[in-house]
Amino acid sequence: MSTTTSTRAEGRNRGSALSHTLTIARRNLLQIKSDPEQLIGMTLQPLMFLVLFVYVFGGAIAGSSREYLQFALPGILVQGIAFTGFQTALGLNIDFQRGLIDRFRSLPMARSAVVGGRILADAVRVVWGTLIVAGFGVLLGFRFHGGVAGAIGAFTMVVAFGVTVSWLMAFIGVNARSPEAVNTFGFLLILPLTFASSVFAPAESMPGWLQAFVKINPLTSVVDATRALMLGGPVTGAAVKAVVWMVVITAVFAPLTVARYRRRL
Amino acid sequence: MEQAAIETEGLGKSFGSVRALDGIDLQVAPGTVFGLLGPNGAGKTTAIRVLATLIRPDEGRAMVGGFDVVTHPGEVRRLIGLTGQYAAVDELLSGRENLYMIGRLIGLPKGASRSRANELLESFDLADAATKNVKTYSGGMRRKLDLAASLVGRPQFLYLDEPTTGLDPRSRLQLWVLIRELVADGTTVLLTTQYLDEADRLADEIVVIDHGRVIAGGTSAELKSMVGGQVLQVRPAEPGDVGRVASILAEFAGEDAEVHRDSQLATVTISQRSALGQAVRRLDDADIPIDDLALRRPSLDEVFLGLTGHTAEAEADARSEDNSERSLA
Ligand SMILES: Nc1ncnc2c1ncn2[C@@H]1O[C@H](COP(=O)(O)OP(=O)(O)OP(=O)(O)O)[C@@H](O)[C@H]1O
Ligand SMILES: [Mg+2]
């Protein structure tokens, strides 16, 4: 018996956590091919937000839609990411429903790879969505005033935030009882965070009690930093706050999510 | 006896107030097919999930290939292949991509993952659908892909939780052949099934569980003889006669005859061979025309119903011990 064990095991080296994560990420990206709605959702949805907000509210909020585009584009980039995170939560949750997770957990693979691979795939989606929205914004007349360095900084900030949100959403995904529950929790979390922030309007224009929330909202720091990087202006304060938030959220939710993933039946 | 390939001792698992496993002892010899039978909710899937390291037992111990599932789950996972009760394949990938992914996840190089995927697609008749999305597969095709996925790593221990549910008769037969081939190669197969004929044909040893306990075990012949005697089955030519036939049979069998109204069959269990002749004479004396009369060994279905039909009784505990002792004798 022991001889069969070793000959059978020999054919494979165990593979690293990294290669497992890449395999799962590849799987999640391949899914897009057969589920084109996903691609449409992650491309058209942020574009729709951009066009609607800029042309419907722009005049009222900023005096002209052209000026509002400058203000809103960085915010809408960040807001779009919060919605991309939904896919993380839903995807993980559906894997549990379908029993696929059982198969993964019965394999000799890294425990962190299923969640890690999902998040890596979603980072790719974030990059895609960000480039599409930013490109479309430029077509509509958006101008970078922060130079190339600012643009790269803003891009990095946005993608890093995307990964952070994915951890938070992954936590919802592995805890929620059903995809419907994911939707409920996700919206309860994402809607107030995105709207009660500096995404669509400056905090100063809001009543005092709301400003208090807006100012501690992590999205506000991320949006302020991204905006400063794209438009030029003082970056440091907001950027430091944003980075601290991202580190804290990841440090809390990444281990919680992986631990929960291991234990969930 | 050879050292058991899979061994459990007093395995217990509760979900809230439900006692899914209530002290299960199993011994599976290497290179054999072991059939786990039991009614819905008996604890079959739970037992498999424990042995597949998916859930931890509350009590007891389970060893697979010499490794404890709780303390050495990684080693156990390298030895096993699992086909769960519900197909665990990615609907949004093609059949080939599914198998390739598993190959990569268990550490096969890219080339080997690809060729193993093609090999399995071929042997499961899925080559034509290899590049199609699993979403478009029929239930049986999914099932086959799921099975293929559990074989990618050529596991030494294969767990099959109701593998043929949803397969057409031809695919079922193909799977039986495949299982026999795997076993001939030294694979140990743990199989749960709803189809008793499947256990009858495939399993070297069968254990019947109910309410999380082993209530009987042995080879299928041993189980059949446990119920004792043979089954005499009579179908009168006139449907109206079935009641009279039943009472005649009951007279010398010493137990009530069972009557199937739909098939117009009266059935009793008898212990001596002479009973057949007696039955024929008595029915003839009574002038009842007979369509069909047969004496046969009880089917595993009858054994199964006989065993599990009584478990509601309070003395189920005592009896389960009796039975398992008898089966080892
Ligand atoms: N995750 C779970 N949470 C709560 N109860 C569970 C869970 N899994 C199983 N059970 C309960 O444990 C008992 C045994 O279930 P199990 O799935 O092992 O039965 P089974 O023999 O596989 O049945 P079937 O033939 O229907 O597949 C059942 O009463 C079931 O309701
Ligand atoms: Mg089951």
Side-chain angles (χ1 to χ4, degrees):
Chain A
M1 206 170 83
S2 57
T3 51
T4 27
T5 313
S6 57
T7 47
R8 279 164 204 257
E10 233 164 318
R12 28 168 149 148
N13 62 49
R14 295 187 66 171
S16 62
L18 178 64
S19 88
H20 297 157
T21 306
L22 289 173
T23 300
I24 297 286
R26 176 174 179 276
R27 165 222 170 198
N28 289 332
L29 290 172
L30 268 176
Q31 287 183 336
I32 299 176
K33 209 169 61 176
S34 59
D35 194 9
E37 295 91 339
Q38 269 191 47
L39 191 65
I40 293 171
M42 65 198 240
T43 309
L44 288 187
Q45 189 173 309
L47 289 186
M48 202 176 66
F49 263 104
L50 182 65
V51 170
L52 287 178
F53 269 87
V54 167
Y55 294 104
V56 175
F57 298 116
I61 299 175
S64 83
S65 39
R66 190 168 189 82
E67 247 171 76
Y68 188 59
L69 176 64
Q70 289 296 108
F71 178 84
L73 182 70
I76 285 174
L77 286 178
V78 174
Q79 184 247 10
I81 279 162
F83 280 95
T84 310
F86 252 105
Q87 203 56 50
T88 308
L90 278 176
L92 272 176
N93 196 266
I94 289 170
D95 284 350
F96 273 105
Q97 311 293 319
R98 301 236 171 100
L100 206 56
I101 297 280
D102 275 2
R103 162 137 289 135
F104 290 145
R105 282 197 291 202
S106 72
L107 297 177
M109 61 182 278
R111 305 276 90 183
S112 57
V114 172
V115 180
R118 168 64 68 179
I119 284 173
L120 187 59
D122 289 330
V124 174
R125 287 169 209 264
V126 165
V127 168
W128 166 266
T130 304
L131 292 177
I132 292 274
V133 175
F136 196 68
V138 169
L139 283 183
L140 294 181
F142 179 85
R143 291 296 168 258
F144 287 89
H145 296 302
V148 177
I152 292 174
F155 181 75
T156 311
M157 175 72 66
V158 165
V159 174
F161 184 64
V163 173
T164 308
V165 171
S166 284
W167 279 115
L168 186 62
M169 293 307 257
F171 182 72
I172 294 179
V174 298
N175 279 288
R177 282 281 141 223
S178 66
E180 291 73 28
V182 168
N183 270 322
T184 310
F185 287 125
F187 272 107
L188 282 177
L189 185 75
I190 296 291
L191 276 188
L193 278 180
T194 50
F195 279 88
S197 73
S198 59
V199 166
F200 298 109
E204 295 72 44
S205 63
M206 303 172 193
W209 60 269
L210 187 55
Q211 270 195 40
F213 176 80
V214 170
K215 285 197 172 131
I216 57 158
N217 184 346
L219 240 83
T220 300
S221 320
V222 176
V223 172
D224 288 351
T226 307
R227 193 171 276 142
L229 286 161
M230 287 169 82
L231 302 179
V235 176
T236 324
V240 168
K241 261 209 242 174
V243 170
V244 169
W245 265 121
M246 291 195 267
V247 169
V248 169
I249 293 174
T250 308
V252 172
F253 287 100
L256 280 180
T257 304
V258 174
R260 178 74 183 133
Y261 165 78
R262 286 186 195 184
R263 276 198 315 271
R264 180 165 170 177
L265 297 179
Chain B
M1 187 178 149
E2 236 179 315
Q3 205 210 324
I6 301 174
E7 191 173 8
T8 73
E9 242 176 62
L11 216 53
K13 175 79 194 174
S14 298
F15 297 104
S17 61
V18 178
R19 198 88 180 111
L21 297 179
D22 193 10
I24 297 265
D25 298 330
L26 299 177
Q27 298 240 329
V28 181
T32 61
V33 180
F34 191 87
L36 205 52
L37 296 186
N40 292 141
K44 305 180 294 292
T45 298
T46 306
I48 292 225
R49 288 171 64 83
V50 168
L51 290 169
T53 74
L54 296 177
I55 48 176
R56 284 162 161 263
D58 301 332
E59 299 125 40
R61 224 164 53 108
M63 307 285 289
V64 176
F67 295 106
D68 188 306
V69 296
V70 174
T71 58
H72 293 81
E75 280 79 0
V76 172
R77 287 180 196 127
R78 301 185 71 191
L79 299 176
I80 62 169
L82 168 69
T83 297
Q85 188 165 358
Y86 305 102
V89 288
D90 192 330
E91 309 243 309
L92 298 177
L93 297 186
S94 70
R96 178 179 285 135
E97 280 293 350
N98 263 286
L99 299 180
Y100 174 79
M101 170 179 74
I102 303 289
R104 297 292 292 142
L105 289 176
I106 62 175
L108 289 179
K110 288 182 184 167
S113 298
R114 248 189 302 274
S115 53
R116 182 72 180 137
N118 289 334
E119 201 177 300
L120 286 165
L121 289 165
E122 200 67 51
S123 60
F124 280 91
D125 275 346
L126 291 171
D128 290 342
T131 56
K132 292 212 184 85
N133 234 299
V134 173
K135 215 165 36 176
T136 67
Y137 281 24
S138 73
M141 289 163 77
R142 260 172 235 226
R143 201 70 210 152
K144 288 198 256 183
L145 183 65
D146 197 34
L147 276 159
S150 67
L151 293 175
V152 173
R154 301 177 201 279
Q156 193 181 339
F157 298 94
L158 183 61
Y159 304 153
L160 303 173
D161 197 354
E162 300 191 18
T164 56
T165 304
L167 291 189
D168 62 30
R170 188 172 129 265
S171 304
R172 262 180 93 194
L173 285 173
Q174 281 175 348
L175 180 67
W176 291 0
V177 170
L178 179 93
I179 290 175
R180 289 205 189 94
E181 281 169 11
L182 289 169
V183 170
D185 278 352
T187 308
T188 304
V189 177
L190 178 61
L191 170 91
T192 81
T193 177
Q194 301 262 349
Y195 303 109
L196 295 139
D197 61 321
E198 191 162 283
D200 210 356
R201 303 253 197 116
L202 284 178
D204 298 291
E205 199 173 337
I206 297 170
V207 152
V208 182
I209 64 174
D210 196 12
H211 298 300
R213 288 165 167 264
V214 174
I215 58 170
T219 63
S220 101
E222 281 167 350
L223 284 175
K224 285 175 188 169
S225 66
M226 249 168 68
V227 170
Q230 297 191 301
V231 176
L232 178 62
Q233 201 172 274
V234 179
R235 193 203 329 265
E238 298 294 326
D241 286 340
V242 74
R244 281 170 67 208
V245 170
S247 57
I248 290 173
L249 293 183
E251 245 174 71
F252 61 87
E255 66 160 37
D256 281 346
E258 210 176 301
V259 175
H260 298 264
R261 290 269 160 227
D262 295 335
S263 50
Q264 297 298 328
L265 274 178
T267 311
V268 282
T269 308
I270 54 178
S271 36
Q272 325 97 329
R273 253 168 212 289
S274 61
L276 177 60
Q278 279 182 44
V280 174
R281 277 192 296 279
R282 299 277 275 276
L283 291 168
D284 202 34
D285 290 347
D287 219 11
I288 303 175
I290 299 300
D291 242 11
D292 191 22
L293 184 145
L295 184 67
R296 56 172 177 76
R297 301 236 296 154
S299 73
L300 212 42
D301 284 273
E302 282 153 334
V303 175
F304 182 74
L305 282 176
L307 287 168
T308 58
H310 295 288
T311 48
E313 287 168 22
E315 63 275 20
D317 297 10
R319 196 165 41 84
S320 80
E321 270 150 36
D322 274 352
N323 285 344
S324 38
E325 267 162 36
R326 221 191 310 169
S327 69
L328 292 175

